[in-house]
Amino acid sequence: MSDMLKSCPCVTRYEHNPVLTGSQVPYACDLVFNAGVIRWQGQYAMVFRNDYGCTQPEWESGKRFKGTNIGIAFSRDGIAWQVGEKPCFDIRDEKTAALFDTPKGEITRCYDPRLTVIDGETYMTFAVDTRHGLRGGIAKTKDLEHFEVLSLSVPDNRNMVLFPEKNHGRYLRLERPMPVYSRGRDRFDIWLSESPDLIYWGRSTLLAGVEDFPYDNDKIGPGAPPVKTKKGWLVFTHGVDKDDARGKNGWENTWKKRYCAGMMLLDLENPRKVLGVYREPLLAPETDYEVKNGFRTNVIFPTGAILEEDGTVKIYYGASDTVIALATAKADDLVDLCLRG
C-alpha cells in the first residue's frame, strides 16, 4: 500500500487547525477527538471523546489512561468552541451508569459519539466497551445534558451513525460489525440496518466492502452521519490501510495503520443503492497534527458533517487520536467526485 496518498484538491483544511485541543477542556483531559456535531438552537453543538489520565512518557512506560468520557462544547461559527464545565456523558458517574440495563461494572467506557437530529429529536450514537464485547449504543436527549439510552447492539459492532430522515417510515443506520471469525482477520465493512423504533434493528445488508475502496486493505466504516444533497446521501467514511513495515508513529512502540477519510453517494429513495464511490482518499494524513504529533499518528477519522446554506460542507475529524480538526468543501464537488468514481 503506497505511502504517497494525497488529499483531494477540492478539500481545504482550516488554516488554524486544530479547532479543539485538550488544553481547552476545563477538567481532566489528555486527548480530544472523534466528535459529533450538529446545528443546535441557533449555534453549533459538539460532543467529543475525552481520554484522560496518561501522558506520553507514562504511556511509553506502561501506564494506560485512567478513563474516557464524552464532553460537550458549543460554537457560534463552528470554528471557535466553548467547552462545558463537565462531561455530559460519563459511565463513572452514577446518573449515567443508571441509564444502562446492565449489571454493575459490565460497562467500562463509552466513547466516539455522533449526533443526529431526526424529526426535531436529537440522538447520540456511541461505542460501548463492556466485559463481554464491544457494543454500539443509541441515546435520545432534549438538552444534550440528560440522556435516555434506547438500545445497545450485540457484540461486536460499532461506528454507528443514523440517517437524519426516516426512509418509508423506518429509521436507518450505518454500522461496522467486526466479524473476525468469518472474515479471518481485520476485514470490516459497512452495513445498513433499519428499525421501526430505534430499538429493534434488522434487515441488515452489506452496503460497501473494503475492496470497494482501493486505497484501503484492512477495514472501512461509517464516519459522519449522512448528508442529504439533491443527488443523493453523501456518506463520509473512514478507511484503514495496514503496512507491517511501519514502525513507531506517535506514542505506540509500533503503529502499522493509516486512517484516511473517504466518501460515497447513496440513492435518496433507496439508500441501499450505492450510486458511486470516490476511489481516492478525500483526506489523507499530511499535516504535522496528522502525521508528526499525537497519540497515534497517520489517523484522520471524519465524525461530523454540516451542510451550510451556501453549499459548503464543514467536515470535522479526529486527527492522530489527539485533536479535532476542520476541513471544508463544496457539496456539489464532492457529489460529482462520487459519481465519477
Side-chain angles (χ1 to χ4, degrees):
M1 194 64 61
S2 172
D3 279 329
M4 299 301 293
L5 296 180
K6 297 294 182 181
S7 301
C8 178
C10 75
V11 180
T12 302
R13 289 170 171 83
Y14 175 55
E15 62 179 338
H16 299 300
N17 267 339
V19 294
L20 190 68
T21 70
S23 64
Q24 297 169 250
V25 179
Y27 45 85
C29 174
D30 289 293
L31 310 174
V32 294
F33 56 111
N34 294 0
V37 184
I38 56 171
R39 290 194 189 90
W40 174 264
Q41 298 179 357
Q43 56 183 334
Y44 299 82
M46 170 192 288
V47 288
F48 59 88
R49 172 176 171 170
N50 167 41
D51 287 5
Y52 63 92
C54 188
T55 63
Q56 182 171 356
E58 290 172 332
W59 178 276
E60 292 175 342
S61 68
K63 184 179 177 180
R64 293 299 177 258
F65 290 101
K66 182 179 179 180
T68 298
N69 53 43
I70 294 174
I72 182 76
F74 298 94
S75 172
R76 291 293 180 186
D77 58 6
I79 297 173
W81 294 89
Q82 181 65 44
V83 180
E85 295 183 356
K86 61 181 181 179
C88 65
F89 202 84
D90 188 346
I91 195 62
R92 298 195 177 199
D93 177 76
E94 291 184 2
K95 291 183 178 179
T96 301
L99 298 174
F100 294 89
D101 185 20
T102 55
K104 185 176 182 180
E106 171 66 11
I107 295 176
T108 57
R109 67 172 181 167
C110 301
Y111 57 101
D112 287 0
R114 311 284 190 272
L115 288 175
T116 312
V117 178
I118 309 172
D119 295 336
E121 302 284 355
T122 303
Y123 299 92
M124 181 175 75
T125 59
F126 52 99
V128 184
D129 281 357
T130 79
R131 299 189 187 279
H132 295 86
L134 192 159
R135 306 173 69 179
I138 301 174
K140 183 178 180 180
T141 180
K142 294 186 177 184
D143 56 9
L144 294 174
E145 181 179 354
H146 302 89
F147 294 83
E148 175 191 0
V149 175
L150 302 178
S151 65
L152 292 180
S153 71
V154 297
D156 281 308
N157 200 349
R158 64 174 298 185
N159 295 126
M160 295 176 178
V161 298
L162 298 172
F163 281 72
E165 291 182 7
K166 294 180 183 177
N167 183 261
H168 301 290
R170 314 281 282 188
Y171 296 95
L172 299 180
R173 77 180 182 196
L174 302 178
E175 55 198 0
R176 193 198 71 190
M178 304 169 72
V180 174
Y181 179 78
S182 60
R183 293 279 262 171
R185 50 168 285 194
D186 275 18
R187 194 75 173 173
F188 309 145
D189 310 303
I190 299 175
W191 290 67
L192 186 150
S193 296
E194 67 177 44
S195 170
D197 54 9
L198 292 168
I199 299 173
Y200 300 100
W201 291 88
R203 198 168 173 247
S204 302
T205 54
L206 177 67
L207 191 65
V210 176
E211 60 274 10
D212 296 318
F213 292 77
Y215 52 91
D216 298 320
N217 65 9
D218 187 70
K219 56 188 173 183
I220 60 170
V227 172
K228 188 177 184 180
T229 73
K230 293 180 180 179
K231 295 184 178 180
W233 289 107
L234 188 61
V235 174
F236 297 98
T237 65
H238 69 270
V240 181
D241 72 88
K242 186 177 180 182
D243 185 346
D244 288 336
R246 293 182 182 134
K248 184 173 176 60
N249 291 285
W251 299 13
E252 302 277 21
N253 289 329
T254 178
W255 177 243
K256 303 178 184 299
K257 297 177 180 179
R258 171 175 53 189
Y259 282 68
C260 294
M263 60 181 179
M264 60 183 175
L265 191 70
L266 309 180
D267 186 75
L268 290 176
E269 181 67 17
N270 177 18
R272 286 181 169 80
K273 181 180 179 181
V274 178
L275 300 179
V277 175
Y278 182 49
R279 296 176 67 80
E280 302 289 339
L282 178 64
L283 281 167
E286 294 172 325
T287 68
D288 284 355
Y289 55 86
E290 297 161 352
V291 174
K292 293 183 179 181
N293 307 317
F295 174 55
R296 287 173 174 158
T297 56
N298 293 312
V299 173
I300 288 179
F301 204 110
T303 52
I306 303 291
L307 177 59
E308 303 290 11
E309 291 183 359
D310 65 356
T312 299
V313 182
K314 285 187 171 76
I315 305 165
Y316 296 89
Y317 64 96
S320 294
D321 283 0
T322 303
V323 296
I324 297 166
L326 170 66
T328 58
K330 289 295 184 180
D332 288 346
D333 292 340
L334 300 178
V335 168
D336 288 345
L337 287 171
C338 290
L339 292 174
R340 292 206 303 263

